[in-house]
Amino acid sequence: MDNQAEVREFLVSRRAKVTPDTVGLPAGPNRRVPGLRRTEVAVLAGVSVEYYSKLERGAIAGASSSVLDAIASALQLDDTERVHLFDLARAADGIPLSGRPRRRSARSAGSRESLQWVLNSITEGIAFVRDQHQDLLATNELGRAFYSPLIGDGGRTPNLARFQFLDPASRDFYPDWDLFSEMCVAIMRTEAGRDPHDKGLHDLVGELSTRSEIFRRLWGAHDVRSHGSGTKRFTHPLVGEVTLAYEELHITADPGLVLMVYTAEPGSPSSERLRLLASWAANHVSAATVE
């Protein structure tokens, strides 16, 4: 990915989101930009207009942490956006992975027996491991049943982004499909900023950009986010609609991999439906073993 273009488009897109009134500046007449002017960002950040203009053209190499912090504050970046800006700056300095542990291969991590034991120990929730490419590397039993529309009958490694944008079944599985799409792309944008030389991610972005106009538009928005925690709605073909809380846990032994756990509120209809799905999965596995 072209670092200068990434920096330029990110800063321009963030500037367009901030209006003068939100930072205490008079809007004034005849504004020709949707958000702040470059001069206004420069004043808020305490740098010269010439210097900010240089940064916004993508020449961010050598920018100090204090300047980046000032720019982030002027543009009202959230925590994830601020980290993304710093990642882009490190990439421009030629040290995109500075301070970050080296990633192991996803294949070895996904097949690690002890990691599968951890997943199998989670029996009342959906648990899976994914990598920075949105590949689904390992799941627990309930996770395999829950993600059956994505996993299918095997073959190619299941990929959450491909399912989201290239499989029509995703629109049934995700009732809030538009929101899920934005989240998926924003997470991928964050990963691209962390490691701009990740060929696997480059290839995936290229494939999805070619095959999905919606992905291409969302990728061009330069939005970033971290998953963290929250709630999501799903419509499973066997048990119907469920609302689940999720927690994202980073696996320190395998940088770049995360453990996702989805659970239902105890006593809720979603909890009962997960139990039904778990029962179906157990019976399905037993029947397959007998055969």
Side-chain angles (χ1 to χ4, degrees):
M1 298 177 187
D2 183 339
N3 178 262
Q4 286 199 339
E6 290 290 312
V7 172
R8 180 176 64 252
E9 292 167 14
F10 179 66
L11 289 177
V12 169
S13 67
R14 298 313 94 178
R15 178 162 60 85
K17 288 178 174 287
V18 184
T19 57
D21 60 292
T22 61
V23 293
L25 294 175
N30 302 320
R31 296 189 69 87
R32 290 178 292 182
V33 293
L36 295 179
R37 299 184 176 105
R38 290 191 186 92
T39 54
E40 292 167 333
V41 176
V43 169
L44 291 169
V47 299
S48 70
V49 177
E50 291 77 12
Y51 185 64
Y52 177 72
S53 297
K54 173 186 172 184
L55 293 180
E56 199 174 272
R57 288 195 297 271
I60 201 172
S64 67
S65 295
S66 60
V67 166
L68 294 175
D69 270 327
I71 297 298
S73 296
L75 294 174
Q76 300 189 339
L77 303 187
D78 62 25
D79 290 343
T80 303
E81 291 170 326
R82 184 182 294 259
V83 169
H84 186 64
L85 178 62
F86 274 77
D87 284 338
L88 293 174
R90 280 196 291 270
D93 288 333
I95 48 172
L97 301 180
S98 177
R100 297 179 61 232
R102 184 178 179 183
R103 287 173 171 170
R104 298 182 184 179
S105 73
R107 178 178 298 178
S108 63
S111 61
R112 186 149 47 84
E113 195 172 41
S114 59
L115 185 56
Q116 188 63 56
W117 293 342
V118 170
L119 291 171
N120 292 343
S121 72
I122 301 172
T123 57
E124 295 188 3
I126 297 151
F128 64 90
V129 174
R130 70 160 176 81
D131 65 10
Q132 67 274 22
H133 304 149
Q134 301 292 308
D135 284 336
L136 205 64
L137 302 179
T139 67
N140 66 351
E141 185 175 284
L142 183 54
R144 283 189 291 276
F146 185 76
Y147 277 105
S148 56
L150 163 62
I151 296 172
D153 296 324
R156 190 177 194 179
T157 300
N159 183 274
L160 292 162
R162 287 194 183 94
F163 177 67
Q164 177 76 48
F165 291 99
L166 304 182
D167 192 331
S170 69
R171 291 187 176 271
D172 295 325
F173 192 61
Y174 302 136
D176 303 310
W177 191 90
D178 291 337
L179 176 62
F180 273 44
S181 295
E182 293 171 2
M183 292 172 65
C184 180
V185 176
I187 291 168
M188 291 174 66
R189 262 287 177 200
T190 303
E191 293 290 354
R194 288 177 183 150
D195 189 356
H197 305 295
D198 186 329
K199 184 180 183 301
L201 188 55
H202 282 219
D203 292 344
L204 178 60
V205 169
E207 175 189 351
L208 295 177
S209 296
T210 300
R211 301 178 63 185
S212 170
E213 188 278 330
I214 296 175
F215 177 88
R216 189 164 58 250
R217 173 176 55 80
L218 292 174
W219 185 256
H222 286 265
D223 291 331
V224 293
R225 68 164 286 151
S226 53
H227 221 32
S229 62
T231 59
K232 290 182 178 180
R233 290 193 307 145
F234 302 86
T235 303
H236 194 274
L238 291 178
V239 296
E241 184 172 309
V242 292
T243 299
L244 304 175
Y246 65 85
E247 295 287 340
E248 179 185 77
L249 308 173
H250 289 266
I251 302 174
T252 55
D254 300 290
L257 302 191
V258 298
L259 169 63
M260 294 292 300
V261 181
Y262 287 88
T263 54
E265 180 182 353
S268 67
S270 294
S271 178
E272 179 58 31
R273 287 167 187 159
L274 275 192
R275 286 197 184 95
L276 289 173
L277 184 61
S279 176
W280 175 87
N283 292 335
H284 187 70
V285 170
S286 298
T289 302
V290 171
E291 292 175 2

